[in-house]
Amino acid sequence: MGVLALTVAPGIAAADAAACPAGAADRSAVVCEINAARDAADRAPLRFRPSLAAAARGHSADMVARRYFAHESPEGDGPADRAWDAGYMRHADSWRVGEILLWSTGAPLTAARAVGMWMDSPSHRRILLSQRYRDVGAGVMPGAPFDDPGAESAATITVDFGRRG
């Protein structure tokens, strides 16, 4: 199973959602929509980090392959463990990592719809707009983390946020 992904330039920022790619959710569109939401809330854009994207993509793939939906793997590895393994914390004196998750079945999931759902959830909105983070990586995997009759159009998304000191 492949990851839906487009190349994202470091420092991607969107002045408005119209500048973001349309269509099914992929990591580029998710990062763009997150930065558009942050811009609308007068927050600085997040910088795309390949290491965080690798951690996020790996977690989405693992959840779909092993049929679970949680911030921790069945072995107990969490977002910081995955970011560490992906090299995000290398050479950092201090760091902070956060994560949001989403899975959806039915109509193809767009990045705008995913970010809209997170923005409608107070706890997810708080993480998405937090000024504690400077970096972001997203991983989108086709498929659901559970057996589901609508799984052929399902998508599972992990977004990892970070800040290194």
Side-chain angles (χ1 to χ4, degrees), residues 108-131:
L109 182 64
T110 65
R113 189 167 141 236
V115 172
M117 286 188 275
W118 285 318
M119 291 295 285
D120 287 342
S121 163
S123 61
H124 292 92
R125 179 185 176 92
R126 188 170 34 260
I127 293 167
L128 196 140
L129 297 179
S130 176
Q131 295 187 72

Side-chain angles (χ1 to χ4, degrees), residues 20-34 102 108-118 140 157:
C20 296
D26 62 52
R27 76 177 184 188
S28 174
V30 170
V31 170
C32 184
E33 292 288 348
I34 287 170
L102 175 72
L109 182 64
T110 65
R113 189 167 141 236
V115 172
M117 286 188 275
W118 285 318
V140 180
I157 304 175

Side-chain angles (χ1 to χ4, degrees), residues 10-69:
I12 186 170
D16 59 64
C20 296
D26 62 52
R27 76 177 184 188
S28 174
V30 170
V31 170
C32 184
E33 292 288 348
I34 287 170
N35 277 332
R38 290 177 63 87
D39 183 63
D42 292 323
R43 302 293 196 278
L46 299 170
R47 293 176 298 243
F48 174 80
R49 296 292 184 205
S51 55
L52 287 176
R57 183 178 57 250
H59 189 53
S60 289
D62 189 50
M63 288 189 294
V64 169
R66 298 200 298 161
R67 302 291 191 224
Y68 71 95
F69 187 73

